[in-house]
Amino acid sequence: MEEQLIFAWAMIFCIAIAPVYGECYSKTVTPSSKVEKVTNLHFFLHDTLSGENPSAVLVARANLTRKDHSPVPFGSLFAIDDPLRVGTEPTSKIIGNAQGLYLSSSQDASKFTIVLYADFAFTTGKFKGSSFSIFSRNPVTEAKREVAIVGGRGRFRMARGFAHIKTSYFNATTGDAILDYKVTLYHY
Ligand SMILES: *[C@@H]1O[C@H](CO)[C@@H](O)[C@H](O)[C@H]1NC(C)=O
Ligand SMILES: *[C@@H]1O[C@H](CO)[C@@H](O)[C@H](O)[C@H]1NC(C)=O
């Protein structure tokens, strides 16, 4: 008890003096004035739910929606490992992959919307080993939509930006889709 009290007082003391002396744990410096860069990327995400080897798999869904027979009913959560390709053909070159989750988030089936939580990584070219993160609503039925990019790794460290997505192909029976991504990234 006594030790805890001393610790608590020590913490308060540290917090109180940190801005002045910076001895305890905090250090704030002015970053070197690096110039911000803008990178534009264009690729196609192939999201396949059907077949023997899907790149998107259902990992959870609400039992209450069991009467909804659409491929992606409200409340269903998919895990993805979708290839990023240079073209719409299923054989075109793979340049990376998007790994993460998406959740069917609209109760109104006519406004089919997902929330996408995914890391888009590159496996070839000058951005090999780098990735950016999308955490955004994606109103899938709109012809052209924008999603938010909230961070990145490697060459895309501290990235933020947006992606414009268009649907190149969608099969409403299977849920399979090919999506045209035009990405604008601001990073250092
Ligand atoms: C889903 O709901 C039905 C009807 O209430 C019930 O019979 C069934 O056991 C439920 N399934 C699961 C996995 O909870
Ligand atoms: C959608 O997928 C089903 C099942 O694979 C197939 O029979 C149908 O032709 C496809 N539709 C389109 C528009 O590609």
Side-chain angles (χ1 to χ4, degrees), residues 3 7 26-27 79 101 120 123 151 153 169:
E3 276 169 15
F7 179 71
S26 103
K27 186 180 175 200
L101 296 166
F120 285 62
T123 50
R153 300 158 59 238
Y169 168 82

Side-chain angles (χ1 to χ4, degrees), residues 4-15:
Q4 278 172 6
L5 259 179
I6 291 166
F7 179 71
W9 275 111
M11 286 303 290
I12 289 164
F13 185 66
C14 282
I15 291 162

